[in-house]
């Protein structure tokens, strides 16, 4: 049971406040904000209480999404609800930010009214909600086809030569019917990698969490069929085909997915509802089919002048035609490092010393597969001792791998039946993110 | 931002709202109302516009209607009389052919929260229960709950309750779940809705139709049901099995709660359910939402209390991501400590070692104390890491390491040799109070084995005048006394100076009394002093090291799937890194044991382990005051709350008079 829901900006401005049960004091929002800001650390704990009012909050889009409740409530339900609420707001407003929430507050009140009654969650399905929601979304940036700034993100498998603009998937779902219906459907295969590589270069741990997300802008979509790789298998025992198998450990589906063709042909059938939904989630541990995307070869030594020399060789083991973007390596350095001088192997890299986080941050905007970059960092550390070397590492790497899935999962085809009248566009995108990619030194 | 010019804004809005030109243009009218709501949600009091807004309510534009209702529901309680005007419009809307308008009117009618309007609301609500459209029935059902809570004392018509019971069979699953919720509220006094066998089976059979919110609600209500036979129990369990491994954490958690409550006297079933649920829980630990991760990790900690080895093979899932927030990292480390076994200890220690130099000092200290806890079973490896960390010469790391070593020595006395060697030179890096206190304790207790101990103390004694912390002074006194007992020649002079300073110049009474106490104790002779000061060096309750005993599921089943595991827990694991070990190792004793412990040890104490200074002086005064010849040790007694203490004290006084002679016997033990 939820007593109140409110949304605060990171500065504590009240954006949305809805009291479902009544009886709460007026100062409840400020009490929450005081508690949140009084805590130290990068993010305060999820649950806080004031007398017998419990606050559960999440952070998304730089906003606090807060629900107040009683001690006996399920944390899973409340957290999932807040996540779902944020997702719905994102669907309806196009994007998630302080500005979009501020501009669409009437829409959000309307949504909240339909989602929750008297503190009880009624429905969060966008199929049901679309019948009730009347307010139109206001977007700050007009949608333009010519916004092609970030092309690299998209692999257009079904539309060979065309590439969708990056903002295509960040528009409100409802506008489609008024704007004459650009009926589009986006299928995203998103994977998150968690990797630990030991100091001896051996792989200690590799996890991949993946999901297939469908974002549908079709006013009325009939059945959709998504074909996965034929040799896709679940679990260790079940191997299919003779080629390199695409294997996952565990796999779960959205309840609307019909699996009658899954066992024989690896086809998912569903009728997507408007907005974004996760159709399938899967997870693979330890046993990656392809080589790890990055290897690091560090050499660390002290020179005579009491400086710390770090020679980093970073190799990208992706296939030659693909590339990683937004690669960022965070190298912890000894406390008291004063200054950094650097020699980087190419001009499109940058590196800087961040004293407050005690790290050297090495950024590479684009890193082509099969290549190798190197950097020499010279650090001035006044109090350098042999033990200080212990403080160097582990290196954290964050990156995006467009058009690549770590598990090898591919979408063979995407069919809508019956064939949609008028121009309908189908987009398939693949991306692998680093959840946490740690290389010990 | 109209924070300051609130009144001005309200006046302007009123002018716009009552402007006939605006009223005749639907778009402008709607925009003006939008402005009102925007001002309202920014925290400005716009209740003055109530009558203008009531007028705006009579419109065919649904969007405008919704906006006005948002306003009316927020301010109705301030304007009960004016709200009567709205009721007519609302009642008219309840007859509207459009079901959306009907449900909207009904919902807002009940959301006004005005007791005076109840008589007008009852009739549309009764009609709403029989409406053709499911969305109206959903609202009407909850409307009765709202009505009941406005007048908790008045009885809701029995006919309505019966109707709600019959609506449990409504074809719409949300109506069914709403009926459950409404009945729970209306019948709260009778303990909620009557869950009998037919209702239970009906609900279970329809569970698949509900969405995840409905499922979790139904499963929660069903926890009250007790199956009549074992066969029925197993039928229910097998029906629910697929929900237990649901990919949605709320459903999974609610199902496990239900499993644990209905099979509470069949431990085998509970354990099997825990095993089955570990997969989805682990998946939730890797969820994209960090809040969900946190909830899952906290609940895994509960599970591990009963099945310590449950997730042993999956320990890698609890390695921390470098971008994770500190509070998740801390919980994950606590889980890692629980999962350590012979196979994975090297991997886990290697991982934890990486966290020790984390930029976040809390994470670094948590990692160090986690290594210390693993050190209770694998002391050599851990001590090697800890000693290595001292070489970094960073104050927060050194402090955490010294505290961890002190705690480790207290439970594993065999580590003391390595610890004594490692301590050399630490005093220069240590800055914070807890770390220095820990070092002083170690110097006092193991002074004879640390060659530099007297010199370290001497430096501190020379600086005692500028020392601000009470705790340090007390600890310094005790440490110097202890060191004097084993190395009198080197320590005598500095002890004299310290005692002189503390008795003659110190202004704090605690320190002064403590010093006086030691001074008089020394007059009683060396033997007496030794008896008092050289107590135990290790935790007497720990014999052979064994793993944590598995606790019964029932101990935590009640708080599973509540907010409790998320808000506490950190406290529990943290407790033994603060204060001297003698004072904290006992504080988790259940109350039942208290009286036993008390009658065995002679000394009672009031305070919990926070202020070691106070308790030392208290207890030692007791020792001296009661000149009983039996050997006494200092302060080995449980922490008791003041009320418990008073109760026990009075009880013991009574006992004392009765069996004064027997007491001597007890103390000998």
């Amino acid at each position: 049971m939820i007593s109140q829901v409110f949304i605060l900006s990171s500065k504590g401005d009240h954006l949305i406040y809805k009291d479902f049960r009544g009886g709460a004091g007026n100062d409840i929002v400020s009490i929450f904000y005081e508690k949140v800001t009084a805590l130290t650390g990068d993010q305060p704990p999820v649950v806080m209480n004031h007398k017998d009012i419990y606050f559960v909050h999440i952070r998304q889009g730089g906003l606090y999404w807060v629900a107040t409740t009683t001690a006996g409530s399920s944390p899973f339900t409340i957290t999932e609800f807040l996540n779902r609420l944020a997702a719905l707001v994102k669907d309806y407003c196009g994007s998630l930010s302080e500005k979009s929430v501020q501009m669409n507050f009437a829409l959000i009140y309307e949504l909240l009214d339909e989602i929750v009654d008297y503190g009880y969650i009624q429905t969060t399905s966008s199929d049901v909600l679309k019948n009730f929601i009347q307010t139109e979304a206001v977007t700050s940036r007009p949608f333009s086809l010519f916004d092609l700034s970030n092309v690299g993100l998209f692999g257009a498998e079904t539309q060979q030569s065309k590439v969708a603009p990056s903002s295509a998937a960040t528009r409100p779902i409802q506008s489609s019917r008024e704007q004459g219906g650009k009926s589009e459907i986006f299928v995203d295969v998103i994977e998150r990698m968690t990797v630990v590589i030991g100091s001896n270069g051996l792989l200690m741990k590799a996890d991949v969490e993946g999901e297939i997300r469908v974002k549908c802008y079709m006013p009325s979509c009939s059945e959709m069929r998504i074909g996965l790789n034929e040799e896709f298998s679940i679990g260790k025992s079940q191997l299919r085909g003779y080629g390199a198998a695409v294997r996952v450990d565990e796999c779960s589906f959205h309840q609307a997915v019909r699996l009658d063709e899954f066992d024989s042909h690896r086809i998912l059938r569903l009728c997507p509802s408007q907005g974004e939904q996760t159709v399938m989630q899967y997870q693979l541990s330890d046993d990656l089919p392809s080589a790890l995307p990055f290897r690091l070869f560090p050499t660390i030594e002290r020179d005579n002048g009491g400086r710390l020399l770090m020679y980093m060789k970073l190799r990208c083991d992706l296939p030659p035609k693909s590339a990683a973007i937004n690669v960022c390596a965070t190298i912890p350095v000894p406390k008291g490092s004063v200054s950094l001088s650097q020699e980087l192997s190419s001009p499109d890299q940058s590196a800087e010393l961040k004293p407050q986080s005690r790290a050297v941050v090495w950024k590479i905007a684009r890193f082509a597969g099969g290549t190798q970059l190197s950097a020499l960092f010279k650090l001035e550390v006044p109090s350098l001792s042999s033990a200080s070397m212990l403080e160097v590492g582990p290196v954290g790497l964050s990156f995006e791998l467009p058009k690549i899935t770590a598990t090898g999962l591919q979408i063979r085809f995407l069919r809508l039946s019956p064939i949609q009248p008028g121009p309908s566009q189908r987009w398939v995108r693949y991306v692998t993110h680093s959840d946490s990619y740690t290389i010990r030194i | 931002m109209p924070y300051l010019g609130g009144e001005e804004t309200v006046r302007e809005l009123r002018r716009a709202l009552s402007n006939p030109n605006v009223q005749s243009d639907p778009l402008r009218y709607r925009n003006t109302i939008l402005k009102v709501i925007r001002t309202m949600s920014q925290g400005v009091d716009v209740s003055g516009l109530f009558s203008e807004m009531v007028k705006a309510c009579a419109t065919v534009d649904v969007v405008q209607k919704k906006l006005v209702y948002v306003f009316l529901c927020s301010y109705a309680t301030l304007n009960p009389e004016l709200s009567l005007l709205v009721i007519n419009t609302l009642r008219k809307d309840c007859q509207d052919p459009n079901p959306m308008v009907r449900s909207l009117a009904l919902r807002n009618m009940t959301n006004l929260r005005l007791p005076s309007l109840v008589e007008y609301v009852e009739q549309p609500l009764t009609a709403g229960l029989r409406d053709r459209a499911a969305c109206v029935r959903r609202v009407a059902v909850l409307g009765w709950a709202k009505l009941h809570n406005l007048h908790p004392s008045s009885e809701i018509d029995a006919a309505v309750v019966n109707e709600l019971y019959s609506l449990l069979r409504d074809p719409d699953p949300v109506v069914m779940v709403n009926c459950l919720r409404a009945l729970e509220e209306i019948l709260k006094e009778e303990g909620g809705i009557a869950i009998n066998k037919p209702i239970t089976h009906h609900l279970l059979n329809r569970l698949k139709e509900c969405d995840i919110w409905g499922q979790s609600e139904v499963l929660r209500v069903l926890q009250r049901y007790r199956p009549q036979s074992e066969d029925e129990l197993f039928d229910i369990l097998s029906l629910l099995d697929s929900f237990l491994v649901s990919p949605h954490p709320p459903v999974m958690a609610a199902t496990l709660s239900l499993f644990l409550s209905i099979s509470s006297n069949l431990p085998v079933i509970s354990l099997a359910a825990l095993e089955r649920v570990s997969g989805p829980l682990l998946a939730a630990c890797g969820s994209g939402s960090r809040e969900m991760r946190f909830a899952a990790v906290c609940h895994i900690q509960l599970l591990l209390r009963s099945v310590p080895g449950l997730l042993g093979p999956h320990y890698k899932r609890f390695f921390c991501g470098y971008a994770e927030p500190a509070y998740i990292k801390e919980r994950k480390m606590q889980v890692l400590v629980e999962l350590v076994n012979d196979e994975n200890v090297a991997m886990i220690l290697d991982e934890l070692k990486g966290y020790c130099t984390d930029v976040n000092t809390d994470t670094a200290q948590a990692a160090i104390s986690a290594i210390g806890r693993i050190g209770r079973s694998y002391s050599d490896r851990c001590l090697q890491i800890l000693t290595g960390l001292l070489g970094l010469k960073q104050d927060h790391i050194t402090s955490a390491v010294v505290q961890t070593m002190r705690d480790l020595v207290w439970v594993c006395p065999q580590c003391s040799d390595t610890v004594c060697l490692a301590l050399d030179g630490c005093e220069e890096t240590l800055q914070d109070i807890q770390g220095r206190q820990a070092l002083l304790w170690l110097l006092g207790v193991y002074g004879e084995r640390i060659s530099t101990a007297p010199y370290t103390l001497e430096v501190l004694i020379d600086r005692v005048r500028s020392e601000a912390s009470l705790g340090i002074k007390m600890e310094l006194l005790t440490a110097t006394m202890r060191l004097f007992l084993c190395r009198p020649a080197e320590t005598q002079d500095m002890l004299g100076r310290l005692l002189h300073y503390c008795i003659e110049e110190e202004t704090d009474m605690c320190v002064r009394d403590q010093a006086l106490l030691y001074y008089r104790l020394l007059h009683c002779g060396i033997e007496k002093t030794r008896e008092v000061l050289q107590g135990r060096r290790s935790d007497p309750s720990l014999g052979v090291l064994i793993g944590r005993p598995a606790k019964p599921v029932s101990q935590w089943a009640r708080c599973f799937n509540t907010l409790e595991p998320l808000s506490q827990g950190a406290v529990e694991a943290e407790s033994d890194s603060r204060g001297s070990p003698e004072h904290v190792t006992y504080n988790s004793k259940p109350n039942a044991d208290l009286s036993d412990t008390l009658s065995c040890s002679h000394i009672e104490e009031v305070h919990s382990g926070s202020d070691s200074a106070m308790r030392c002086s208290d207890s030692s005064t007791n020792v001296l005051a009661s000149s009983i010849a039996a050997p006494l040790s200092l302060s080995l007694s449980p922490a008791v709350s003041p009320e418990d203490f008073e109760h026990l004290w009075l009880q013991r006084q009574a006992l004392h008079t009765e069996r004064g002679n027997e007491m001597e016997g007890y103390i000998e033990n």
Side-chain angles (χ1 to χ4, degrees):
Chain A
M1 195 173 62
I2 296 158
S3 310
Q4 285 102 27
V5 169
F6 45 92
I7 304 177
L8 296 186
S9 75
S10 52
K11 298 189 294 293
D13 297 332
H14 304 193
L15 301 178
I16 298 286
Y17 172 82
K18 179 103 185 145
D19 186 355
F20 292 108
R21 305 277 302 187
N26 298 323
D27 51 345
I28 202 84
V29 182
S30 24
I31 292 176
F32 168 78
Y33 191 68
E34 267 164 37
K35 277 184 175 287
V36 158
T37 42
L39 285 157
T40 53
D42 51 351
Q43 200 203 13
V46 182
V47 176
M48 291 178 293
N49 70 316
H50 171 72
K51 291 176 197 150
D52 47 0
I53 300 170
Y54 282 75
F55 299 100
V56 179
H57 81 275
I58 64 164
R59 291 208 59 177
Q60 282 210 6
L63 307 169
Y64 294 103
W65 305 71
V66 195
T68 61
T69 181
T70 49
S73 305
S74 157
F76 295 104
T77 308
I78 309 266
T79 322
E80 181 92 355
F81 163 74
L82 290 172
N83 280 325
R84 183 78 194 121
L85 176 67
L88 277 172
V89 169
K90 191 178 169 206
D91 276 353
Y92 275 91
C93 304
S95 62
L96 214 55
S97 67
E98 186 178 337
K99 201 172 171 202
S100 67
V101 169
Q102 234 164 19
M103 284 197 299
N104 291 297
F105 70 97
L107 177 66
I108 296 170
Y109 275 123
E110 198 181 353
L111 264 176
L112 272 175
D113 224 25
E114 300 294 341
I115 296 175
V116 184
D117 190 10
Y118 205 42
Y120 297 110
I121 306 166
Q122 300 291 302
T123 179
T124 54
S125 136
S126 46
D127 277 336
V128 180
L129 287 170
K130 75 176 175 196
N131 303 321
F132 292 95
I133 303 303
Q134 304 278 325
T135 315
E136 276 167 41
V138 190
T139 44
S140 53
R141 188 179 34 152
F143 170 60
S144 146
L145 249 181
F146 302 104
D147 179 17
L148 291 166
S149 56
N150 204 359
V151 168
L153 253 169
F154 303 99
E157 288 287 329
T158 49
Q159 305 277 319
Q160 295 291 320
S161 58
K162 288 192 212 158
V163 167
S166 62
S167 61
T170 58
R171 60 187 168 104
I173 49 172
Q174 295 248 324
S175 61
S176 54
R177 83 182 156 203
E178 280 80 19
Q179 287 174 3
K182 235 187 104 56
S183 50
E184 285 182 304
I185 196 153
F186 294 86
V187 177
D188 296 349
V189 181
I190 300 165
E191 297 191 343
R192 290 181 287 130
M193 285 185 104
T194 311
V195 170
V196 180
I197 301 174
S199 47
N200 47 7
L202 287 180
L203 178 65
M204 319 265 289
K205 167 195 169 175
D207 274 347
V208 176
E209 317 252 351
E211 58 189 34
I212 300 183
R213 261 190 230 160
V214 173
K215 188 153 189 177
C216 176
Y217 289 112
M218 309 233 169
S220 61
C221 187
S222 46
E223 192 186 64
M224 178 167 83
R225 294 165 79 227
I226 305 175
L228 308 180
N229 316 41
E230 293 263 23
E231 50 288 321
F232 181 80
S233 63
I234 302 168
K236 287 216 163 61
S237 54
Q238 189 196 12
L239 279 177
R240 296 162 67 99
Y242 300 102
V246 177
R247 196 183 65 78
V248 299
D249 288 338
E250 271 164 51
C251 187
S252 61
F253 302 94
H254 190 271
Q255 53 203 15
V257 177
R258 286 193 304 275
L259 297 170
D260 26 337
E261 285 181 77
F262 185 73
D263 277 339
S264 52
H265 297 104
R266 297 306 186 207
I267 293 172
L268 308 175
R269 291 169 56 203
L270 75 154
C271 300
S273 44
Q274 277 200 343
E276 190 171 286
Q277 56 209 307
T278 303
V279 171
M280 173 175 144
Q281 283 176 301
Y282 54 92
Q283 179 250 314
L284 172 66
S285 290
D286 283 336
D287 204 10
L288 295 189
S290 51
L292 287 169
F294 292 103
R295 288 273 174 189
L296 181 74
F297 305 95
T299 320
I300 294 169
E301 54 193 35
R302 294 162 67 188
D303 75 351
N304 311 331
R307 280 188 305 183
L308 189 68
L309 301 182
M310 302 194 294
Y311 185 64
M312 301 278 168
K313 240 180 351 182
L314 188 61
R315 197 177 74 203
C316 179
D317 287 337
L318 295 173
K321 276 187 180 166
S322 40
I325 57 170
N326 300 333
V327 181
C328 174
T330 310
I331 309 156
V333 294
K335 197 178 181 183
S337 303
V338 189
S339 66
L340 167 78
S341 70
Q342 46 187 318
E343 287 168 29
L344 303 171
S345 64
S346 68
D348 57 339
Q349 311 168 36
S350 68
E352 64 176 317
L353 176 69
K354 297 244 164 101
Q356 75 281 8
S357 57
R358 234 187 56 210
V360 170
V361 179
W362 178 21
K363 285 185 178 155
I364 305 147
R366 189 185 146 85
F367 198 164
T371 59
Q372 183 166 293
L373 296 176
S374 55
L376 176 62
F377 300 114
K378 292 182 195 158
L379 281 163
E380 207 73 56
V381 192
S383 58
L384 193 66
S385 68
S386 55
S388 308
M389 310 290 256
L390 272 175
E391 283 184 85
V392 181
V395 175
L397 217 55
S398 69
F399 51 82
E400 258 174 70
L401 311 176
K403 298 191 240 179
I404 286 177
T405 53
T407 52
L409 183 83
Q410 300 277 327
I411 290 183
R412 272 187 299 147
F413 60 81
L414 189 64
R415 281 188 203 129
L416 303 170
S417 57
I419 309 297
Q420 291 278 316
S424 69
Q425 284 176 315
R426 294 158 291 166
W427 306 99
V428 178
R429 310 187 285 185
Y430 301 97
V431 65
T432 299
H433 292 282
S434 58
D435 194 23
S436 163
Y437 197 97
T438 311
I439 304 167
R440 300 219 191 106
I441 290 182
Chain B
M1 280 288 160
Y3 283 116
L4 295 170
E7 271 174 51
E8 186 57 35
T9 326
V10 171
R11 216 171 302 138
E12 219 162 85
L13 286 170
R14 173 173 302 132
R15 215 174 302 135
L17 280 175
S18 38
N19 183 344
N21 292 331
V22 173
Q23 286 182 356
S24 57
D25 181 352
L27 209 63
R28 274 178 77 190
Y29 204 19
R30 193 205 280 185
N31 279 337
T32 318
I33 291 165
L34 256 171
K35 258 182 226 152
V36 176
I37 311 287
R38 191 192 298 270
T39 324
M40 183 183 95
S41 52
Q42 278 162 355
V44 178
D45 182 17
V46 284
S47 57
L49 301 171
F50 201 84
S51 53
E52 282 82 7
M53 291 298 270
V54 170
K55 272 182 217 136
C57 178
T59 168
V60 284
D61 180 6
V62 181
V63 179
Q64 182 173 338
K65 241 187 225 304
K66 285 189 177 179
L67 286 174
V68 176
Y69 289 153
V70 170
F71 176 91
L72 293 183
C73 291
S74 318
Y75 289 117
T77 34
L78 299 176
N79 295 294
E81 294 84 24
L82 285 173
S83 308
L84 272 173
L85 300 174
V86 197
I87 266 303
N88 267 330
T89 325
L90 285 169
R91 283 182 63 132
K92 207 167 81 218
D93 280 352
C94 285
Q95 316 288 331
D96 198 278
N98 182 351
M100 193 175 25
V101 176
R102 290 204 298 274
S103 67
L104 188 66
L106 209 52
R107 182 168 55 227
N108 288 293
M109 204 186 271
T110 44
N111 275 352
L112 290 175
R113 299 195 195 108
L114 286 176
S116 55
L117 298 185
V118 168
E119 46 182 323
Y120 303 100
V121 178
E122 275 185 349
Q123 190 267 326
L125 270 186
T126 321
L129 286 181
R130 297 180 197 130
D131 201 282
R132 289 185 318 279
C135 64
V136 183
R137 293 199 301 273
R138 292 174 186 177
V139 173
V141 168
L142 281 185
W144 282 108
K146 297 179 199 170
L147 218 58
H148 173 74
N149 284 354
L150 273 181
H151 277 297
S153 49
S154 74
E155 284 281 303
I156 286 253
D157 196 357
V160 173
V161 174
N162 280 339
E163 187 140 12
L164 288 176
Y165 267 113
S166 67
L167 276 175
L168 282 174
R169 306 202 175 268
D170 194 278
D172 184 73
V174 181
V175 175
M176 175 184 88
V177 178
N178 277 354
C179 278
L180 272 185
R181 293 159 166 163
L183 285 169
E184 283 281 285
E185 298 226 7
I186 293 170
L187 305 174
K188 200 184 273 161
E189 246 129 73
E190 302 158 33
I193 180 173
I195 297 286
N196 54 24
K197 193 170 168 183
I199 290 184
T200 306
H201 287 243
H202 169 72
L203 291 174
L204 285 173
N205 287 331
R206 295 199 49 190
L207 204 54
K208 280 215 161 67
E209 298 167 30
C210 305
D211 62 357
I212 58 167
W213 317 115
Q215 285 172 355
S216 1
E217 193 80 38
V218 170
L219 290 166
R220 193 183 57 81
V221 173
L222 287 184
Q223 280 183 38
R224 286 211 305 275
Y225 182 63
R226 290 282 161 269
Q228 282 144 10
S229 68
E230 205 146 278
D231 286 344
E232 192 193 352
L233 173 77
F234 286 113
D235 281 348
I236 294 177
L237 294 186
S238 53
L239 199 72
L240 287 176
D241 188 64
S242 65
F243 294 95
L244 197 57
V245 290
S246 157
H248 302 288
V251 179
M252 174 270 299
T255 319
L256 183 63
S257 270
L258 176 61
F259 260 63
L260 297 182
S261 76
I262 61 176
S263 60
S264 52
N265 39 17
L266 293 168
V268 189
I269 306 272
S270 311
L271 291 182
L274 295 188
E275 214 136 289
R276 193 130 168 71
V277 92
S278 61
L281 258 181
L282 273 178
C285 280
S287 150
S289 146
R290 35 165 78 165
E291 289 81 8
M292 188 57 85
R293 277 190 211 187
F294 179 66
V297 175
C298 294
H299 281 83
I300 280 178
Q301 286 187 301
L302 282 185
L303 255 65
L304 288 178
R305 286 196 205 165
S306 291
V307 203
L310 182 63
L311 299 167
H314 300 286
Y315 66 96
K316 283 183 186 169
R317 303 292 292 272
F318 299 96
F319 284 4
C320 305
Y322 73 97
E324 273 180 324
Y327 64 90
I328 294 189
K329 284 187 180 167
E330 269 170 47
R331 292 293 180 116
K332 281 193 168 176
M333 284 187 243
Q334 290 170 11
V335 172
L336 279 176
V337 169
E338 300 283 322
L339 297 183
V340 164
N341 58 34
D342 287 350
E343 281 97 61
N344 61 25
V345 63
M347 286 286 278
I348 290 184
L349 282 178
D350 220 25
E351 182 71 20
L352 286 174
K353 198 169 117 187
Y355 308 151
C356 293
T357 49
D358 199 283
V359 190
N360 186 323
T361 49
D362 291 337
T363 308
Q365 292 184 335
I368 291 166
S369 82
I371 292 178
R373 299 193 123 236
I374 295 176
R376 294 177 187 185
S377 345
Y378 301 92
S379 44
D380 290 347
R381 295 170 196 242
C382 295
L383 278 172
Q384 202 188 339
I385 297 177
L386 292 175
T387 325
L389 287 170
L390 287 177
L392 287 174
K393 302 222 175 294
Q394 289 197 11
D395 51 354
H396 70 276
I397 292 180
T398 309
S399 159
V401 170
V402 173
Q403 289 176 57
T404 306
M405 284 180 162
R406 173 200 59 194
D407 295 340
L408 190 60
V409 163
W410 177 246
V411 286
C412 309
Q414 73 274 16
C415 304
S416 54
D417 288 332
T418 329
V419 170
C420 291
L421 285 177
L423 285 177
D424 207 14
C426 285
E427 72 279 358
E428 288 154 23
T429 354
L430 280 174
Q431 301 285 327
D432 65 332
I433 293 169
Q434 276 106 4
R436 282 154 73 206
Q437 263 182 315
L439 179 67
L440 281 172
W441 187 83
L442 283 166
L443 287 177
V445 175
Y446 291 101
E448 80 272 17
R449 283 194 252 158
I450 305 170
S451 54
T452 57
Y455 310 108
T456 313
L457 287 182
E458 184 155 28
V459 174
L460 284 167
I461 290 170
D462 289 342
R463 283 196 223 131
V464 74
R465 253 168 254 275
S466 53
E467 178 59 64
S469 154
L470 169 73
I472 297 274
K473 287 183 197 164
M474 303 292 264
E475 201 75 57
L476 184 60
L477 265 174
T478 316
T480 320
M481 282 294 285
R482 281 183 178 154
L483 198 63
F484 173 70
L485 291 176
C486 56
R487 299 164 79 166
E490 291 158 288
T491 326
Q492 187 184 13
D493 182 50
M494 60 177 95
L495 177 63
R497 271 186 284 146
L498 181 64
L499 285 176
H500 182 267
Y501 166 77
C502 290
I503 294 169
E504 296 293 332
E505 295 177 43
E506 176 61 48
T507 49
D508 191 285
M509 275 307 140
C510 278
V511 180
R512 199 171 156 270
D513 283 352
Q514 177 95 341
L516 271 174
L517 169 80
Y518 284 145
Y519 183 66
R520 290 176 192 143
L521 189 61
L522 287 169
H523 277 292
C524 299
I526 194 77
E527 280 314 308
K528 196 88 204 164
T529 317
R530 193 157 275 155
E531 268 167 35
V532 173
L533 276 175
Q534 290 190 330
R536 288 201 183 89
R537 287 173 169 187
S538 62
D539 186 347
S541 67
L542 277 171
V544 189
L545 270 172
I546 33 163
R548 270 227 276 186
K551 291 176 186 154
V553 176
S554 56
Q555 207 178 52
W556 51 266
R558 270 190 48 241
C559 71
F560 188 86
N561 201 17
T562 67
L563 298 180
E564 202 179 313
L566 276 78
S567 32
Q568 42 108 290
V571 192
E572 184 182 313
E574 204 70 357
S575 64
D576 47 0
S577 61
R578 302 279 173 261
S580 293
E582 293 125 299
H583 308 305
V584 281
T585 31
Y586 274 97
N587 57 7
S588 57
K589 285 254 176 172
N591 257 354
D593 296 357
L594 276 182
S595 49
D596 294 350
T597 336
L598 273 182
S599 52
C600 289
S601 71
H602 181 68
I603 308 142
E604 286 87 358
E605 294 204 45
V606 190
H607 311 284
S608 58
S610 57
D611 189 354
S612 60
M614 289 293 289
R615 53 193 20 258
C616 270
S617 57
D618 274 6
S619 47
S620 340
T621 336
N622 270 348
V623 177
L624 288 195
S626 60
S627 50
I628 294 171
L632 294 169
S633 65
L634 270 179
S635 67
L636 282 171
S637 52
V640 196
S641 76
E643 295 78 32
D644 286 341
F645 172 71
E646 187 182 285
H647 175 74
L648 286 165
W649 178 254
L650 292 174
Q651 202 181 343
R652 258 185 46 74
Q653 262 190 337
L655 276 178
H656 199 75
T657 46
E658 278 174 34
R659 353 173 267 181
N661 297 334
E662 287 173 44
M663 278 306 290
E664 300 289 334
Y666 271 114
I667 293 159
E668 296 290 346
N669 296 335

